[in-house]
């Protein structure tokens, strides 16, 4: 079934946050050797590719999203030799490896920035975005940092400001400079030659800013309590038309190699997001679709979202879906444990490449972090308004030992209080656990081309019941999801065989009539003639 399709179409991606997956040396922080030791778990789960959040040398102000050397491995995670061993071991198991590429900004400790800030006539000055202020103490314009405050930092030495979309220790590169582009393309080639199967490009929609640096307009919908970044509409600082040429060039580099994938991190509404597929699909293969992460959890809203996204896709563009990542609240806490099972079925039965976030497959919650254990710089900048990301980055829960089998030492973030009960080892032994459900869903997706490749057809949305169909070469499957707390039945009569229930207790049941679903139940049904 896979033959005529690139692997990333029928495949399932799995995001690893390396600090929190598996520690092999007892320092409380996960590492590459740890990931190697857990590859067999990923194989058993049935995913096709792992994407690693950044592993490169970094002062770790933003936990690796502040890179000081693009072609090395931070000693915290291991060595380049460990990385090569990881790629080899993953490939041996048939797993692809995707790296995080962070081209929008570097660390302020990167040699490029150190040079750039050293003088106004340094050859690397123009590698970053330097401008004079608008007057005494006033930055060049009103743009805000996503992490709070002005996005301009005054640099005493040369009397100019530099732009940073995130922390002040994360200066933005100037993508209008061809030397910057060339340097980053060479970074890509460095890793592609080492065998990586593609990149997830960090904040792709931020890459190019308005050449006139026009002020961003105020956001009329801003309400107190929202994060300060939302005071303005980032009209001139993000999603500029020129970005698509930048992405197309990255894609050309990807296409110098066989079978690699280009994924973009982009937080934009569907109609703007899909532009990142590029003209004639010469952009990102998969502009990440994060809509499920923030859409209210009810059948109407989810149905509307799916239909809107499907309708916005350019012809022949391949969709994708994401339920969680290292920046957003965990699904199990957002919708509750029962509905998280429905969400898993949705993710793995929709049309498009699914991305799983480590730990979601065992139902890991958003962990409450005591104030003295907060590590996220965003939370430290803007305490108490709910922007903290530590809670979705806690160590993977492997077993019931004190540190969850994650580390022999004290972990960098606390584990969830229920980790002694909710962990891989316990859930492996429980035929109805979240892990067993994920495995069954992945199995189904692997064996049923309708799910992996088939067309999507909405069937009905009534109350909290969402019903859709997937069809491939004349074969159909029906998916019915109850996003509500009351039991429901389909309005239409059906004849079919239950392939899977989120409760995992109705396999092989035949249905002849209206299909009844319990509270928070999802069902995949194979229609019978
Ligand atoms: C992306 C990353 C996030 C990081 C930010 C700045 O959004 O996912 O973790 O803080 O970029 O690099």
């Amino acid at each position: 079934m896979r033959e005529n399709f690139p692997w990333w179409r029928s495949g399932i991606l799995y995001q690893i946050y390396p600090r929190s997956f598996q520690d092999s040396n007892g320092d409380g922080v996960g590492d590459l050797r740890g990931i190697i030791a857990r590859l067999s778990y990923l194989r058993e789960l049935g995913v096709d590719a792992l994407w690693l959040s950044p592993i490169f040398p970094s002062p770790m102000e933003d936990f690796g999203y502040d890179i000081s050397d693009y072609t090395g491995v931070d000693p915290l995670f291991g060595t380049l030799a460990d990385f090569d061993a990881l790629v080899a071991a993953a490939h041996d198991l048939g797993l692809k490896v995707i790296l995080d590429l962070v081209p929008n900004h570097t660390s302020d400790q990167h040699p490029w920035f150190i040079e750039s800030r050293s003088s106004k006539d340094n050859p690397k000055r123009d590698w970053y975005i330097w401008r004079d202020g608008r007057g005494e103490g006033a930055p060049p314009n009103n743009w805000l940092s996503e992490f709070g405050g002005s996005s301009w930092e005054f640099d005493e030495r040369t009397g100019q400001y530099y732009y940073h979309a995130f922390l002040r220790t994360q200066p933005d590169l100037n993508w209008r400079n061809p030397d910057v582009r060339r340097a980053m393309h060479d970074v890509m080639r460095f890793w592609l030659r080492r065998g990586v199967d593609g990149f997830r490009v960090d904040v792709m929609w931020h890459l190019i800013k308005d050449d006139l640096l026009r002020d961003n307009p105020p956001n009329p919908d801003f309400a107190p309590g929202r994060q300060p970044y939302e005071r303005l509409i980032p009209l001139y600082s993000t999603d500029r038309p020129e970005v698509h040429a930048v992405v197309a060039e990255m894609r050309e580099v990807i296409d110098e190699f066989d079978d690699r994938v280009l994924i973009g991190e982009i937080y934009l509404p569907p109609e703007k997001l899909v532009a990142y597929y590029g003209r004639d699909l010469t952009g990102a293969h998969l502009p990440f679709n994060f809509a499920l992460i923030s859409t209210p959890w009810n059948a109407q809203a989810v149905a509307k979202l799916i239909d809107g996204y499907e309708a916005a896709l350019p012809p022949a563009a391949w969709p994708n879906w994401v339920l969680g990542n290292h920046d957003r609240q965990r699904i199990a806490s957002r919708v509750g444990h029962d509905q998280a099972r429905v969400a898993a079925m949705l993710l793995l039965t929709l049309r498009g490449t699914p991305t799983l976030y480590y730990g979601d497959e065992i139902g890991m919650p958003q962990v409450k972090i005591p104030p003295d254990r907060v590590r996220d710089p965003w939370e430290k900048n803007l305490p108490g308004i709910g922007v903290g990301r530590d809670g979705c980055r806690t160590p993977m829960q492997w077993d019931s030992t004190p540190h969850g089998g994650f580390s022999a030492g004290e972990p960098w973030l606390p584990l969830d209080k229920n980790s002694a009960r909710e962990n891989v080892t316990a859930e492996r032994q429980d035929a109805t656990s979240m892990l067993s459900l994920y495995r069954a869903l992945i199995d189904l997706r692997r064996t049923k081309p309708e799910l992996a490749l088939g067309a999507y057809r909405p069937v009905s949305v009534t109350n909290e019941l969402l019903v859709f169909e997937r069809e491939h070469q004349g074969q159909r499957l029906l998916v019915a999801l109850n996003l509500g707390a009351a039991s429901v039945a389909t309005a239409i009569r059906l004849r079919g065989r239950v392939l899977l229930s989120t409760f995992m207790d109705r396999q092989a049941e035949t249905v002849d009539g209206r299909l009844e679903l319990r509270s928070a139940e999802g069902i995949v049904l194979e229609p019978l003639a």
Side-chain angles (χ1 to χ4, degrees), residues 16-35 55 74-78 395 406-407 411-412:
I16 289 179
Y17 195 67
R19 292 182 72 87
S20 291
F21 201 59
Q22 179 65 56
D23 176 19
S24 73
N25 63 359
D27 66 358
V29 175
D31 47 44
L32 297 179
R33 288 273 153 204
I35 296 171
I55 52 163
D74 195 281
L76 201 54
F77 297 122
F406 162 70
S407 174
W412 76 289

Side-chain angles (χ1 to χ4, degrees), residues 15 17 51 53 62 64-66 100 102 104-105 146-147 166-167 170 200 202-203 205 265 267 325-328 376-378 389 393:
Q15 180 188 356
Y17 195 67
W51 146 38
S53 282
D62 191 21
Y65 285 95
D66 49 324
D100 219 303
V102 189
N104 181 68
H105 45 268
E146 288 230 23
F147 287 164
F166 296 90
L167 297 174
Q170 291 170 298
R200 169 269 192 192
D202 192 61
V203 298
W205 84 113
E265 184 208 20
Y267 283 95
N325 62 34
H326 64 293
D327 294 325
R328 302 289 152 134
D376 182 12
W378 195 0
R389 300 170 294 178
R393 298 174 174 179

Side-chain angles (χ1 to χ4, degrees), residues 169-182:
T169 52
Q170 291 170 298
D172 278 44
L173 283 161
N174 174 16
W175 273 82
R176 292 179 185 275
N177 182 324
D179 293 338
V180 167
R181 297 186 185 202
R182 264 193 294 272

Side-chain angles (χ1 to χ4, degrees), residues 3-289:
E3 251 101 271
N4 301 324
F5 294 90
W7 61 268
W8 47 265
R9 275 201 176 210
S10 55
I12 298 171
L13 315 182
Y14 184 97
Q15 180 188 356
I16 289 179
Y17 195 67
R19 292 182 72 87
S20 291
F21 201 59
Q22 179 65 56
D23 176 19
S24 73
N25 63 359
D27 66 358
V29 175
D31 47 44
L32 297 179
R33 288 273 153 204
I35 296 171
I36 294 175
R38 295 296 187 182
L39 286 177
S40 57
Y41 167 75
L42 298 178
R43 183 76 208 142
E44 167 194 323
L45 184 62
V47 298
D48 297 86
L50 43 130
W51 146 38
L52 304 179
S53 282
I55 52 163
F56 318 103
S58 162
M60 300 290 164
E61 303 261 354
D62 191 21
F63 297 110
Y65 285 95
D66 49 324
I67 295 171
S68 53
D69 172 5
Y70 282 98
T71 54
V73 170
D74 195 281
L76 201 54
F77 297 122
T79 63
L80 216 41
D82 293 334
F83 180 76
D84 291 340
L86 168 58
V87 172
H91 285 172
D92 279 350
L93 290 172
L95 292 163
K96 307 279 185 186
V97 179
I98 297 169
L99 282 183
D100 219 303
L101 182 74
V102 189
N104 181 68
H105 45 268
T106 68
S107 159
D108 64 348
Q109 301 306 308
H110 195 292
W112 297 341
F113 189 70
I114 294 175
E115 272 195 55
S116 182
R117 86 188 309 177
S118 67
S119 77
K120 275 183 166 170
D121 51 18
N122 183 279
K124 293 231 163 40
R125 184 65 168 183
D126 184 51
W127 280 43
Y128 293 82
I129 302 168
W130 291 97
R131 287 293 185 287
D132 291 331
R134 264 182 194 167
E136 196 54 38
N141 66 21
N142 71 350
W143 295 357
L144 298 171
S145 154
E146 288 230 23
F147 287 164
S150 168
S151 60
W152 295 97
E153 180 70 9
F154 185 68
D155 196 50
E156 291 286 342
R157 189 164 2 177
T158 53
Q160 284 193 311
Y161 290 80
Y162 66 85
Y163 177 73
H164 58 92
F166 296 90
L167 297 174
R168 64 166 64 96
T169 52
Q170 291 170 298
D172 278 44
L173 283 161
N174 174 16
W175 273 82
R176 292 179 185 275
N177 182 324
D179 293 338
V180 167
R181 297 186 185 202
R182 264 193 294 272
M184 203 57 73
H185 295 160
D186 284 342
V187 168
M188 293 173 74
R189 291 188 187 99
F190 173 87
W191 293 108
L192 291 165
R193 283 191 195 111
R194 282 199 117 79
V196 315
D197 299 286
F199 297 101
R200 169 269 192 192
V201 179
D202 192 61
V203 298
M204 192 179 254
W205 84 113
H206 270 271
L207 284 174
I208 278 223
K209 324 347 160 172
D210 180 42
D211 52 349
L212 302 174
L213 299 186
R214 283 168 279 191
D215 270 353
N216 279 328
N219 175 5
D221 297 328
F222 182 73
R226 302 260 295 263
Q227 43 165 317
Y229 177 71
E230 294 175 13
R231 270 202 296 117
L232 304 178
I233 296 172
L235 178 66
Y236 293 111
S237 49
T238 63
D239 193 32
R240 301 305 301 160
E242 299 95 317
V243 72
H244 299 296
V246 171
V247 177
E249 281 181 19
M250 286 183 172
R251 171 65 180 273
E252 281 174 26
V253 177
I254 288 281
D255 288 345
E256 290 169 15
F257 299 78
D258 287 339
D259 239 14
R260 315 295 163 103
V261 67
L262 186 67
I263 303 172
E265 184 208 20
I266 302 146
Y267 283 95
L268 289 174
E271 61 285 3
K272 293 189 173 172
L273 170 67
V274 297
Y276 287 75
Y277 284 102
R279 185 174 302 149
D280 301 324
L281 305 187
T282 52
H285 294 108
L286 302 173
F288 260 152
N289 165 19

